[in-house]
Each structure stands twice: as C-alpha cells, then as structure tokens.
Amino acid sequence: MGESEKLRMRVTQFFDRLETQIKQFLREGVMHKELSESLNIAVLANMMTSHIEGKLSQFRRSSFKQRPLSYSDEQWVLLKNLMN
C-alpha cells in the first residue's frame, strides 16, 4: 500500500467515526427530549458530517485562508431549525 492509500483510509475512518459520534449525540438529544423524535438521525448525521467535510475542504482549497468556522453562527441557526 502506498502512503496516499493509507492516508485515504485513515481519513475515511476519521469521518466514519465522526458520523457515528454525531449519531450518538443526536440520539441522546432525542432521549433527553431536547430534539424531536421524528428526526431521521442517520440522515441528519450524514448531512452534518458532509457539512464539516465540506468546510474543511474549503479551508484547504483556499490555501488555509477561508476559516472553517466562517458563517458558523448563521449556519447553526439554520441547522437547528431543521432539527426542531
């Protein structure tokens, strides 16, 4: 295996674990009645993971100038409205 293949596998594993953790976080929110029971946790966790991955990709593409947390407050409000 080449170095880039190993790195690609580690990045995939990282995002898989991240998505699993987000699912757990969402399940706990539903369990504690902080989030709606009608949420599709798998879909929402996948969307959140994709968003995080996209923000990191933008950061890299911008030569590390466009910060990953830019617009995060506004984006969180939109996402939060989807969850309620």
Side-chain angles (χ1 to χ4, degrees):
M1 264 185 161
E3 181 72 24
S4 61
E5 183 60 28
K6 286 181 184 180
L7 179 58
R8 200 176 353 238
M9 286 175 47
R10 290 176 68 189
V11 168
T12 298
Q13 185 180 43
F14 169 79
F15 282 105
D16 288 346
R17 288 180 179 175
L18 176 64
E19 189 167 337
T20 298
Q21 289 298 309
I22 292 171
K23 286 179 188 175
Q24 183 61 37
F25 172 76
L26 293 172
R27 281 189 202 103
E28 289 175 14
V30 170
M31 192 172 66
H32 294 293
K33 307 228 185 287
E34 296 168 352
L35 298 173
S36 171
E37 289 183 18
S38 65
L39 279 179
N40 186 326
I41 289 173
V43 170
L44 186 55
N46 181 265
M47 184 180 75
M48 292 173 83
T49 304
S50 297
H51 177 75
I52 293 166
E53 190 171 359
K55 295 297 274 184
L56 291 173
S57 180
Q58 283 180 335
F59 184 50
R60 186 187 71 237
R61 278 194 325 266
S62 72
S63 298
F64 307 101
K65 292 178 185 149
Q66 184 177 346
R67 298 290 176 207
L69 294 179
S70 61
Y71 306 114
S72 63
D73 290 338
E74 296 92 342
Q75 291 168 340
W76 177 246
V77 170
L78 293 171
L79 187 58
K80 196 168 144 184
N81 287 335
L82 290 173
M83 293 189 289
N84 291 324

